[in-house]
Amino acid sequence: MLLSKAHITLSALALSPFAVSTPTLDKTTYPGFVHPSNGDCKDYNVKSTVTYEQLQWDQPRYKDNYEVASLLTKVASQAKVPLPAFSGSANVTKEFQIAGTFCKPKSSNNSKQNTVFVATHGAGFDRRYWASSFKPNEYSFAQYALEAGYSIFYYDRLGVGYSSRLSGYDVEINPQVELLASILKSLRAGKYIEGIKPSNLVLVGHSFGSVISNLILGRHPELVEGAVLTGFSFPTPADPAASASGFGLSVFASRIVSTLTGDARPQFANSFDNGWLSFADKFAFTEAFLGAEDYEVPAAEYSYKIAQPYSIVDFLSAFAQPSVADKYVGKLLLAPAERDLFFCAGNCTDTFARGGQKSAFPNPKTDISLFVQEGSGHGQNFALNARDLYKAITTFADNL
């Protein structure tokens, strides 16, 4: 993967005393949380009990932003100085609540609505990434998918939005993979989808959401008929992009969420402990998230406004996991941003031309196609040509 593999050994697990909780949030003060106008939509709170390996964070818990800056320097240096992020794991079983939205087309009775996109957002966002209330005709994937006749389930990942809160030192990728697997099983059984009988379940991920989706293909390949990975790459060791993501957190100017003020302070900041970071500077955010030129300023302002905190423990846990999906034999669309600074060092055309994805999906039966979103930075849903990406995704679904 992109970072040096975290050091894993068996040891006792020390869990944070920060309790799992479900936030009570007022939608009237939750900017941008709206249903697509062309969808028949319903919100759900999905309770799932999952068993997983809880990783043990093996770095000091930071007390202030100076210590965060020191940790980010270590993360950025991983290509040459490996960071022992984790030192053990324990098998645990916990119940969490995931908040999600299901929409089916208002005016569609054709078979397309039985294909359900299951969308997982990346770090620093919640489900609003998929359903922009700013210029939804241009920036809402949910609205575009419904317009094309498809259904969609999109949700807040563990720890953000309306989903269960827990310490930023405890949230990590393993429960998120198992929670998504649980959601997929429920959808297949007809739950949370308003009378739809799913013929196809199609993962759609962005960034960290693509990491989670990719791990589903590796651990639970039988659960889906297709997958779309955006904001993600598979660099070879010789590719400069192999170490690019380590610098990304520094470029984002990440700081402890509770210390931020003004526009930099995300909604409900007081519901997160000091294990959660957020984006301290909107211009650094724009540089890292949207890239060079392919965006409009109001879209940059909106995306910064709806940003959520992220956990560096969560982020690093992703790269401690095997990522090879050798048993997945379905269809796969790799849809990176051409100028993704975070995952491709600014040139995804070159990164994918090197063929690292072939090692991640070695099964010859896996049907892989590639679409590079021209000119876009990492935040592909807010690029000027976002609809080109959406068209590529729905065309992919047309051919399942």
Side-chain angles (χ1 to χ4, degrees), residues 103-376:
C103 298
K104 62 183 178 181
K106 276 185 177 178
S107 57
S108 174
N109 291 313
N110 62 52
S111 60
K112 278 189 178 183
Q113 68 178 354
N114 294 324
T115 291
V116 182
F117 291 117
V118 184
T120 306
H121 62 83
F125 281 91
D126 55 28
R127 76 186 113 155
R128 289 175 292 178
Y129 178 80
W130 302 109
S132 171
S133 63
F134 171 74
K135 293 188 176 180
N137 288 336
E138 297 176 37
Y139 299 117
S140 172
F141 171 69
Q143 181 161 309
Y144 190 99
L146 292 162
E147 177 185 310
Y150 292 103
S151 299
I152 182 170
F153 184 92
Y154 55 108
Y155 66 99
D156 296 330
R157 288 196 299 106
L158 182 63
V160 299
Y162 285 85
S163 291
S164 295
R165 289 282 189 277
L166 62 165
S167 170
Y169 296 103
D170 290 342
V171 64
E172 46 110 336
I173 197 163
N174 286 321
Q176 306 209 54
V177 174
E178 298 312 313
L179 284 166
L180 178 53
S182 178
I183 288 170
L184 291 167
K185 292 174 185 177
S186 294
L187 296 177
R188 182 72 72 187
K191 295 181 180 179
Y192 316 121
I193 52 176
E194 294 297 291
I196 295 294
K197 295 181 179 179
S199 56
N200 296 302
L201 295 179
V202 182
L203 297 171
V204 183
H206 175 254
S207 192
F208 193 84
S210 285
V211 179
I212 294 170
S213 298
N214 185 42
L215 288 171
I216 286 287
L217 300 182
R219 298 180 188 180
H220 306 284
E222 74 285 354
L223 295 181
V224 298
E225 282 70 40
V228 181
L229 307 182
T230 73
F232 191 48
S233 71
F234 303 89
T236 62
D239 187 347
S243 59
S245 64
F247 292 90
L249 301 183
S250 298
V251 175
F252 272 118
S254 303
R255 301 293 180 260
I256 297 172
V257 64
S258 61
T259 67
L260 300 178
T261 60
D263 291 345
R265 189 175 177 85
Q267 302 94 34
F268 317 113
N270 60 357
S271 67
F272 298 91
D273 76 353
N274 280 5
W276 292 89
L277 307 180
S278 197
F279 313 116
D281 184 279
K282 70 178 178 181
F283 300 107
F285 169 87
T286 300
E287 175 187 353
F289 187 66
L290 294 174
E293 300 162 349
D294 190 41
Y295 66 90
E296 58 176 316
V297 170
E301 297 277 357
Y302 171 80
S303 60
Y304 189 65
K305 183 178 181 181
I306 66 169
Q308 286 279 285
Y310 77 90
S311 161
I312 195 168
V313 177
D314 199 17
F315 175 82
L316 291 176
S317 71
F319 304 104
Q321 310 301 312
S323 61
V324 176
D326 56 350
K327 293 182 174 59
Y328 180 66
V329 294
K331 290 194 174 184
L332 173 66
L333 174 63
L334 303 177
E338 180 185 24
R339 297 182 182 177
D340 194 319
L341 183 66
F342 197 66
F343 278 98
C344 294
N347 189 343
C348 274
T349 300
D350 174 72
T351 290
F352 279 84
R354 294 170 184 258
Q357 61 271 23
K358 295 177 183 178
S359 297
F361 299 95
N363 195 312
K365 294 182 179 180
T366 307
D367 186 353
I368 303 176
S369 54
L370 175 66
F371 170 82
V372 179
Q373 187 178 355
E374 184 177 357
S376 174

